[in-house]
Amino acid sequence: MLNDFTGAEHVYMACGYTGLRRGIDGLSAIVENNFKLDPFSNSLFLFCGRRADRIKALYWDSDGFLLLYKRLERGAFQWPRTQDEVRDLTQQQYRWLMEGINLEQPKAHRPVTGLRVV
C-alpha cells in the first residue's frame, strides 16, 4: 500500500532521525511544531528511524489519521540525514525512495523552470 500511495497532493520527508516509538500525536506534533506544516492537509508525511530499514507514514484521511509502518526485510532506505529539514518530494522521488534508490539521481533529467520566449 505504501509503495503506490497516490492519495496525497504532497509527500513530505522528515530528514534525519525520528524516534519511531512516537505515535500519531507525536508525529503530528513534529509536523506542526518543527516543520510548520498542517498535519490535516492532504499530505503524506514520512519519518525514518536510525536503522533506516523502517519508516512510518502519517496521513489525514478526512475523518482520522492513518499511521502506516513499513519494515524492510533486507536493505535500507536511502534517507537524507540532515537534521531538522523537511523535503517536499516529487512523485518520481517518492517512487525512488520506495524502491531503495537514492533521491539525488545525477543522471535524471531535471525539470526546467523560468523559461520565456525571446
Side-chain angles (χ1 to χ4, degrees):
M1 177 178 180
L2 194 53
N3 283 359
D4 60 1
F5 194 89
T6 57
E9 291 175 21
H10 294 276
V11 177
Y12 292 106
M13 166 192 263
C15 300
Y17 304 110
T18 302
L20 292 186
R21 287 189 263 167
R22 293 176 186 254
I24 291 171
D25 295 333
L27 295 176
S28 62
I30 289 173
V31 168
E32 193 168 29
N33 298 330
N34 294 18
F35 302 131
K36 307 300 185 224
L37 295 169
D38 181 10
F40 300 101
S41 65
N42 185 20
S43 300
L44 180 68
F45 299 95
L46 303 172
F47 305 89
C48 185
R50 285 198 182 274
R51 294 176 50 188
D53 65 343
R54 54 199 77 195
I55 61 173
K56 275 190 176 179
L58 183 68
Y59 179 73
W60 175 254
D61 189 31
S62 73
D63 62 352
F65 280 106
L66 289 172
L67 183 62
L68 304 164
Y69 185 78
K70 180 167 183 167
R71 182 186 75 192
L72 297 175
E73 292 301 317
R74 234 180 263 139
F77 291 101
Q78 299 294 315
W79 203 271
R81 293 303 181 181
T82 307
Q83 294 291 339
D84 300 324
E85 179 187 354
V86 65
R87 291 179 60 179
D88 189 359
L89 302 181
T90 65
Q91 286 298 321
Q92 181 66 54
Q93 288 173 319
Y94 177 65
R95 281 191 298 275
W96 285 339
L97 176 69
M98 292 294 113
E99 293 171 3
I101 300 172
N102 191 330
L103 299 179
E104 302 304 325
Q105 292 294 312
K107 294 183 180 180
H109 296 287
R110 301 284 179 227
V112 178
T113 60
L115 295 179
R116 60 176 206 248
V117 177
V118 181

